[in-house]
Amino acid sequence: MTELILFGLKRRFLNKTFLISQLLLIFLLASLMNADKIALYFGFTPPGHLPLSLMEKASEVDEAFANAYGFTLQEKATLSVVKIVGGYEVLNSAQLDGIHRLQLQAYLTTLSKNEFLALRNPSVAELIQEYESVEIRFDTPMEIRAVGKESFVFMILTAVYFMVLNFAAMTSNEVVSEKSANVLDMVLSAADAKSHYRAKLFGGWLTMILQGCFALGTLGVFAMLRNQSDLGKGLLVWASQFGLVDREVTSFRALFEMLDLDFSFGMTIALCVFFLLCGMAILQIIMTVIATKLKSAEEASILQGPVYIFLLILYYVALSQNTIPRLSQGFGKIASYVPISSMLFMPMRLLSLKLGAGEILLSGCVAITSLLTLLFAGQRIYEKGLRHEKIFKKCIVKNRAK
């Protein structure tokens, strides 16, 4: 089986297509680590804060207060606010969408309230504060976590998810390609179908691991180069304007400090990767077994279309359920125990909730049991599929001989 794995790896890696794909990967990772410079060169601007003019009062109002509502104060901004009897009037408001209108409304309402309290006797402000204050107690303490840590890790898992999608149908494509090129008959003349099946799967998983290590290593190299340039400040400041990282993070070192990568969180990341790879391995086994029934690349592409659509739907359904109440019970909780769907729902629960060891073990046992069951059951179906393929080809040869 070792020879078959090496043979498969050579076919995957030692060709021009693979070389071009790796060069494209290097180019994309280099562009990612210099996204701020590329955006500046092409004139792309992040959403940022919307310029707002409060006429002559712009210097009197706190800029940080306006920034909290998504606005930056400028004296000659197109969007302007003038004071009228009983309130404010917003000029040139056609450029505002629904969200910005609500933000501006909340900002001006709070601004008017603060101005009202500032002009009144201090006792009035104390009375209103006492009226609005109410004590609320929770029976369980809230767990304090590093801000943005779970969101940042989920972004990485999302990138890994879509990267692994590229390998989901790789093995099945190879089986169909070897069948159509009559390479499979030559291989099976020197090895049995059982060894070929296991070599294909283990070779595919080994390819994913090697590709992932190469991508992480390349990203690390470009991160080191960017760190030597400006400690990553330009990239992180640019990313913060899109809400990808916290505004206070201005260096790669501060980013790692924000993540607070202790042993407990490291185990959480390892479990997330485990469930993700288990789901993809199950999917790869299913598609490899189905490939024995296919006879051409066209049939394989027809099969892959619905599979990719299913995985995209699964991803967006998972996003819609990515809230603590939905993941704690109902569909989000049940889906974390179901094979394939658990590769997304269980990582989200691990990052958002404090799960007990029983829940993690139950979902892990279901994933491993499903993987092993499909591995051995798929082997029988795979062998039968190849056996029928041989019989079918022999019948064709006999008919042509007649």
Side-chain angles (χ1 to χ4, degrees), residues 194-234:
K194 176 181 177 181
S195 299
H196 186 267
Y197 169 75
R198 294 185 177 180
K200 282 296 178 186
L201 293 179
F202 293 145
W205 299 337
L206 184 59
T207 301
M208 283 193 292
I209 295 174
L210 293 176
Q211 184 67 68
C213 292
F214 175 78
L216 288 176
T218 305
L219 183 63
V221 170
F222 285 117
M224 290 177 60
L225 294 175
R226 187 61 196 262
N227 187 65
Q228 294 177 356
S229 175
D230 63 347
L231 302 179
K233 180 178 180 180

Tab-separated table of all heavy atoms in Angstrom, residues 194-234:
chain	number	residue	atom	x	y	z
A	194	LYS	N	-8.597	-3.635	-2.268
A	194	LYS	CA	-8.560	-3.201	-0.877
A	194	LYS	C	-7.397	-2.238	-0.640
A	194	LYS	O	-7.560	-1.172	-0.047
A	194	LYS	CB	-8.443	-4.421	0.028
A	194	LYS	CG	-8.290	-4.100	1.502
A	194	LYS	CD	-8.163	-5.382	2.309
A	194	LYS	CE	-7.931	-5.076	3.776
A	194	LYS	NZ	-7.777	-6.332	4.571
A	195	SER	N	-6.212	-2.612	-1.124
A	195	SER	CA	-5.039	-1.751	-0.954
A	195	SER	C	-5.200	-0.457	-1.736
A	195	SER	O	-4.798	0.618	-1.281
A	195	SER	CB	-3.775	-2.482	-1.405
A	195	SER	OG	-3.566	-3.640	-0.635
A	196	HIS	N	-5.771	-0.557	-2.927
A	196	HIS	CA	-5.985	0.636	-3.753
A	196	HIS	C	-6.943	1.603	-3.069
A	196	HIS	O	-6.726	2.824	-3.074
A	196	HIS	CB	-6.526	0.217	-5.120
A	196	HIS	CG	-6.648	1.352	-6.081
A	196	HIS	ND1	-7.808	2.080	-6.241
A	196	HIS	CD2	-5.737	1.915	-6.931
A	196	HIS	CE1	-7.623	3.026	-7.153
A	196	HIS	NE2	-6.385	2.941	-7.588
A	197	TYR	N	-8.003	1.072	-2.471
A	197	TYR	CA	-8.991	1.908	-1.775
A	197	TYR	C	-8.354	2.653	-0.604
A	197	TYR	O	-8.510	3.871	-0.460
A	197	TYR	CB	-10.124	0.999	-1.299
A	197	TYR	CG	-11.094	1.644	-0.341
A	197	TYR	CD1	-12.041	2.565	-0.772
A	197	TYR	CD2	-11.078	1.302	1.017
A	197	TYR	CE1	-12.931	3.140	0.114
A	197	TYR	CE2	-11.974	1.865	1.908
A	197	TYR	CZ	-12.896	2.785	1.455
A	197	TYR	OH	-13.785	3.352	2.338
A	198	ARG	N	-7.637	1.944	0.230
A	198	ARG	CA	-7.021	2.568	1.398
A	198	ARG	C	-5.907	3.532	0.996
A	198	ARG	O	-5.734	4.593	1.621
A	198	ARG	CB	-6.470	1.493	2.333
A	198	ARG	CG	-7.558	0.631	2.950
A	198	ARG	CD	-6.988	-0.351	3.955
A	198	ARG	NE	-8.053	-1.130	4.583
A	198	ARG	CZ	-7.843	-2.066	5.501
A	198	ARG	NH1	-6.599	-2.326	5.912
A	198	ARG	NH2	-8.858	-2.719	6.036
A	199	ALA	N	-5.169	3.183	-0.044
A	199	ALA	CA	-4.105	4.072	-0.502
A	199	ALA	C	-4.677	5.386	-1.014
A	199	ALA	O	-4.098	6.463	-0.787
A	199	ALA	CB	-3.283	3.383	-1.589
A	200	LYS	N	-5.814	5.315	-1.702
A	200	LYS	CA	-6.444	6.524	-2.214
A	200	LYS	C	-6.885	7.441	-1.075
A	200	LYS	O	-6.656	8.656	-1.100
A	200	LYS	CB	-7.648	6.168	-3.090
A	200	LYS	CG	-7.295	5.707	-4.492
A	200	LYS	CD	-6.628	6.829	-5.261
A	200	LYS	CE	-6.209	6.394	-6.642
A	200	LYS	NZ	-5.433	7.439	-7.327
A	201	LEU	N	-7.524	6.855	-0.060
A	201	LEU	CA	-8.020	7.665	1.048
A	201	LEU	C	-6.883	8.235	1.879
A	201	LEU	O	-6.839	9.434	2.161
A	201	LEU	CB	-8.949	6.823	1.930
A	201	LEU	CG	-10.275	6.397	1.292
A	201	LEU	CD1	-11.075	5.549	2.262
A	201	LEU	CD2	-11.087	7.603	0.856
A	202	PHE	N	-5.938	7.379	2.288
A	202	PHE	CA	-4.828	7.856	3.112
A	202	PHE	C	-3.951	8.837	2.339
A	202	PHE	O	-3.432	9.805	2.907
A	202	PHE	CB	-3.990	6.680	3.603
A	202	PHE	CG	-4.727	5.787	4.568
A	202	PHE	CD1	-4.516	4.422	4.582
A	202	PHE	CD2	-5.643	6.325	5.454
A	202	PHE	CE1	-5.195	3.604	5.474
A	202	PHE	CE2	-6.334	5.517	6.346
A	202	PHE	CZ	-6.106	4.152	6.351
A	203	GLY	N	-3.791	8.589	1.045
A	203	GLY	CA	-3.032	9.525	0.220
A	203	GLY	C	-3.715	10.878	0.126
A	203	GLY	O	-3.059	11.927	0.162
A	204	GLY	N	-5.061	10.865	0.017
A	204	GLY	CA	-5.808	12.121	-0.022
A	204	GLY	C	-5.705	12.889	1.281
A	204	GLY	O	-5.525	14.109	1.285
A	205	TRP	N	-5.787	12.182	2.406
A	205	TRP	CA	-5.674	12.851	3.707
A	205	TRP	C	-4.251	13.372	3.918
A	205	TRP	O	-4.067	14.457	4.470
A	205	TRP	CB	-6.055	11.877	4.823
A	205	TRP	CG	-7.468	11.383	4.701
A	205	TRP	CD1	-8.489	12.013	4.044
A	205	TRP	CD2	-8.006	10.175	5.216
A	205	TRP	NE1	-9.636	11.265	4.113
A	205	TRP	CE2	-9.378	10.127	4.835
A	205	TRP	CE3	-7.498	9.111	5.949
A	205	TRP	CZ2	-10.213	9.064	5.176
A	205	TRP	CZ3	-8.342	8.058	6.297
A	205	TRP	CH2	-9.669	8.044	5.913
A	206	LEU	N	-3.268	12.600	3.480
A	206	LEU	CA	-1.881	13.052	3.599
A	206	LEU	C	-1.635	14.286	2.735
A	206	LEU	O	-0.909	15.206	3.133
A	206	LEU	CB	-0.930	11.928	3.194
A	206	LEU	CG	0.571	12.206	3.341
A	206	LEU	CD1	0.921	12.546	4.783
A	206	LEU	CD2	1.386	11.005	2.861
A	207	THR	N	-2.277	14.334	1.576
A	207	THR	CA	-2.153	15.502	0.709
A	207	THR	C	-2.724	16.748	1.379
A	207	THR	O	-2.135	17.835	1.301
A	207	THR	CB	-2.874	15.249	-0.625
A	207	THR	OG1	-2.301	14.110	-1.270
A	207	THR	CG2	-2.763	16.452	-1.542
A	208	MET	N	-3.877	16.588	2.046
A	208	MET	CA	-4.477	17.729	2.745
A	208	MET	C	-3.549	18.241	3.849
A	208	MET	O	-3.379	19.453	4.018
A	208	MET	CB	-5.821	17.315	3.338
A	208	MET	CG	-6.947	17.237	2.335
A	208	MET	SD	-8.581	17.129	3.130
A	208	MET	CE	-8.481	15.512	3.879
A	209	ILE	N	-2.941	17.320	4.589
A	209	ILE	CA	-2.048	17.716	5.675
A	209	ILE	C	-0.822	18.446	5.125
A	209	ILE	O	-0.416	19.497	5.633
A	209	ILE	CB	-1.640	16.486	6.502
A	209	ILE	CG1	-2.866	15.901	7.214
A	209	ILE	CG2	-0.567	16.858	7.521
A	209	ILE	CD1	-2.595	14.595	7.933
A	210	LEU	N	-0.216	17.878	4.075
A	210	LEU	CA	0.971	18.512	3.491
A	210	LEU	C	0.646	19.873	2.896
A	210	LEU	O	1.408	20.834	3.051
A	210	LEU	CB	1.562	17.593	2.412
A	210	LEU	CG	2.159	16.268	2.905
A	210	LEU	CD1	2.605	15.414	1.718
A	210	LEU	CD2	3.330	16.524	3.833
A	211	GLN	N	-0.518	19.966	2.232
A	211	GLN	CA	-0.912	21.239	1.646
A	211	GLN	C	-1.176	22.283	2.722
A	211	GLN	O	-0.807	23.453	2.590
A	211	GLN	CB	-2.159	21.058	0.788
A	211	GLN	CG	-2.607	22.310	0.034
A	211	GLN	CD	-1.618	22.709	-1.038
A	211	GLN	OE1	-1.454	22.015	-2.032
A	211	GLN	NE2	-0.953	23.824	-0.852
A	212	GLY	N	-1.813	21.847	3.822
A	212	GLY	CA	-2.064	22.762	4.924
A	212	GLY	C	-0.782	23.248	5.573
A	212	GLY	O	-0.647	24.432	5.897
A	213	CYS	N	0.168	22.331	5.775
A	213	CYS	CA	1.461	22.725	6.363
A	213	CYS	C	2.209	23.692	5.453
A	213	CYS	O	2.823	24.658	5.925
A	213	CYS	CB	2.314	21.485	6.621
A	213	CYS	SG	1.683	20.412	7.927
A	214	PHE	N	2.136	23.454	4.142
A	214	PHE	CA	2.800	24.364	3.202
A	214	PHE	C	2.162	25.750	3.241
A	214	PHE	O	2.873	26.775	3.239
A	214	PHE	CB	2.723	23.786	1.786
A	214	PHE	CG	3.277	24.697	0.731
A	214	PHE	CD1	4.654	24.813	0.553
A	214	PHE	CD2	2.441	25.441	-0.085
A	214	PHE	CE1	5.178	25.656	-0.413
A	214	PHE	CE2	2.952	26.286	-1.056
A	214	PHE	CZ	4.324	26.393	-1.227
A	215	ALA	N	0.818	25.797	3.290
A	215	ALA	CA	0.123	27.089	3.322
A	215	ALA	C	0.442	27.840	4.618
A	215	ALA	O	0.712	29.049	4.597
A	215	ALA	CB	-1.382	26.879	3.183
A	216	LEU	N	0.431	27.130	5.751
A	216	LEU	CA	0.741	27.778	7.026
A	216	LEU	C	2.194	28.254	7.067
A	216	LEU	O	2.489	29.341	7.564
A	216	LEU	CB	0.483	26.810	8.175
A	216	LEU	CG	-0.989	26.511	8.491
A	216	LEU	CD1	-1.094	25.454	9.586
A	216	LEU	CD2	-1.729	27.775	8.905
A	217	GLY	N	3.106	27.426	6.536
A	217	GLY	CA	4.512	27.825	6.504
A	217	GLY	C	4.742	29.049	5.638
A	217	GLY	O	5.481	29.969	6.019
A	218	THR	N	4.094	29.073	4.469
A	218	THR	CA	4.228	30.224	3.573
A	218	THR	C	3.651	31.485	4.215
A	218	THR	O	4.245	32.571	4.146
A	218	THR	CB	3.517	29.946	2.244
A	218	THR	OG1	4.025	28.736	1.672
A	218	THR	CG2	3.732	31.093	1.268
A	219	LEU	N	2.485	31.335	4.852
A	219	LEU	CA	1.874	32.478	5.532
A	219	LEU	C	2.773	32.977	6.660
A	219	LEU	O	2.908	34.191	6.867
A	219	LEU	CB	0.503	32.075	6.078
A	219	LEU	CG	-0.313	33.173	6.750
A	219	LEU	CD1	-0.646	34.277	5.747
A	219	LEU	CD2	-1.587	32.605	7.357
A	220	GLY	N	3.397	32.040	7.377
A	220	GLY	CA	4.304	32.432	8.456
A	220	GLY	C	5.507	33.207	7.949
A	220	GLY	O	5.953	34.173	8.579
A	221	VAL	N	6.043	32.800	6.794
A	221	VAL	CA	7.192	33.499	6.220
A	221	VAL	C	6.818	34.935	5.858
A	221	VAL	O	7.543	35.889	6.180
A	221	VAL	CB	7.718	32.741	4.984
A	221	VAL	CG1	8.745	33.588	4.241
A	221	VAL	CG2	8.330	31.411	5.397
A	222	PHE	N	5.662	35.099	5.197
A	222	PHE	CA	5.244	36.451	4.811
A	222	PHE	C	4.881	37.285	6.043
A	222	PHE	O	5.071	38.510	6.048
A	222	PHE	CB	4.060	36.392	3.851
A	222	PHE	CG	4.444	35.973	2.457
A	222	PHE	CD1	3.937	34.803	1.909
A	222	PHE	CD2	5.314	36.725	1.700
A	222	PHE	CE1	4.292	34.409	0.630
A	222	PHE	CE2	5.678	36.346	0.418
A	222	PHE	CZ	5.170	35.176	-0.117
A	223	ALA	N	4.366	36.644	7.085
A	223	ALA	CA	4.070	37.371	8.318
A	223	ALA	C	5.353	37.864	8.985
A	223	ALA	O	5.408	38.982	9.512
A	223	ALA	CB	3.287	36.473	9.272
A	224	MET	N	6.404	37.038	8.962
A	224	MET	CA	7.691	37.462	9.516
A	224	MET	C	8.273	38.639	8.737
A	224	MET	O	8.796	39.591	9.320
A	224	MET	CB	8.657	36.283	9.514
A	224	MET	CG	8.329	35.188	10.518
A	224	MET	SD	9.470	33.793	10.407
A	224	MET	CE	11.019	34.613	10.747
A	225	LEU	N	8.146	38.582	7.415
A	225	LEU	CA	8.647	39.681	6.591
A	225	LEU	C	7.868	40.970	6.875
A	225	LEU	O	8.456	42.060	6.952
A	225	LEU	CB	8.549	39.313	5.112
A	225	LEU	CG	9.449	38.164	4.641
A	225	LEU	CD1	9.161	37.825	3.182
A	225	LEU	CD2	10.920	38.523	4.814
A	226	ARG	N	6.540	40.843	7.022
A	226	ARG	CA	5.731	42.018	7.313
A	226	ARG	C	6.013	42.537	8.718
A	226	ARG	O	5.997	43.758	8.966
A	226	ARG	CB	4.246	41.688	7.155
A	226	ARG	CG	3.327	42.889	7.284
A	226	ARG	CD	3.655	43.910	6.196
A	226	ARG	NE	3.084	45.201	6.480
A	226	ARG	CZ	1.925	45.637	5.952
A	226	ARG	NH1	1.247	44.871	5.132
A	226	ARG	NH2	1.484	46.833	6.242
A	227	ASN	N	6.297	41.637	9.644
A	227	ASN	CA	6.623	42.038	11.004
A	227	ASN	C	7.929	42.829	11.053
A	227	ASN	O	8.057	43.796	11.811
A	227	ASN	CB	6.713	40.811	11.899
A	227	ASN	CG	6.888	41.170	13.360
A	227	ASN	OD1	6.007	41.767	13.977
A	227	ASN	ND2	8.043	40.817	13.914
A	228	GLN	N	8.892	42.447	10.237
A	228	GLN	CA	10.146	43.178	10.164
A	228	GLN	C	9.965	44.545	9.509
A	228	GLN	O	10.725	45.470	9.774
A	228	GLN	CB	11.185	42.367	9.396
A	228	GLN	CG	11.614	41.091	10.096
A	228	GLN	CD	12.581	40.272	9.274
A	228	GLN	OE1	12.887	40.616	8.131
A	228	GLN	NE2	13.068	39.171	9.830
A	229	SER	N	8.939	44.649	8.665
A	229	SER	CA	8.698	45.909	7.963
A	229	SER	C	8.068	46.966	8.879
A	229	SER	O	8.615	48.047	9.063
A	229	SER	CB	7.801	45.666	6.748
A	229	SER	OG	7.458	46.878	6.116
A	230	ASP	N	6.899	46.648	9.455
A	230	ASP	CA	6.217	47.638	10.297
A	230	ASP	C	5.454	46.989	11.444
A	230	ASP	O	4.489	47.576	11.956
A	230	ASP	CB	5.251	48.484	9.464
A	230	ASP	CG	4.141	47.641	8.849
A	230	ASP	OD1	4.267	46.399	8.872
A	230	ASP	OD2	3.156	48.211	8.361
A	231	LEU	N	5.877	45.768	11.831
A	231	LEU	CA	5.224	45.012	12.915
A	231	LEU	C	3.779	44.666	12.581
A	231	LEU	O	3.007	44.260	13.452
A	231	LEU	CB	5.274	45.789	14.239
A	231	LEU	CG	6.662	46.176	14.757
A	231	LEU	CD1	6.524	46.952	16.068
A	231	LEU	CD2	7.514	44.942	14.959
A	232	GLY	N	3.420	44.794	11.293
A	232	GLY	CA	2.056	44.488	10.871
A	232	GLY	C	1.049	45.575	11.182
A	232	GLY	O	-0.162	45.366	11.034
A	233	LYS	N	1.515	46.749	11.601
A	233	LYS	CA	0.602	47.805	12.023
A	233	LYS	C	-0.312	48.263	10.896
A	233	LYS	O	-1.529	48.397	11.086
A	233	LYS	CB	1.406	49.001	12.551
A	233	LYS	CG	0.542	50.156	13.026
A	233	LYS	CD	1.375	51.293	13.589
A	233	LYS	CE	0.489	52.428	14.058
A	233	LYS	NZ	1.283	53.557	14.612
A	234	GLY	N	0.251	48.505	9.708
A	234	GLY	CA	-0.568	48.987	8.601
A	234	GLY	C	-1.670	48.019	8.241
A	234	GLY	O	-2.821	48.419	8.010
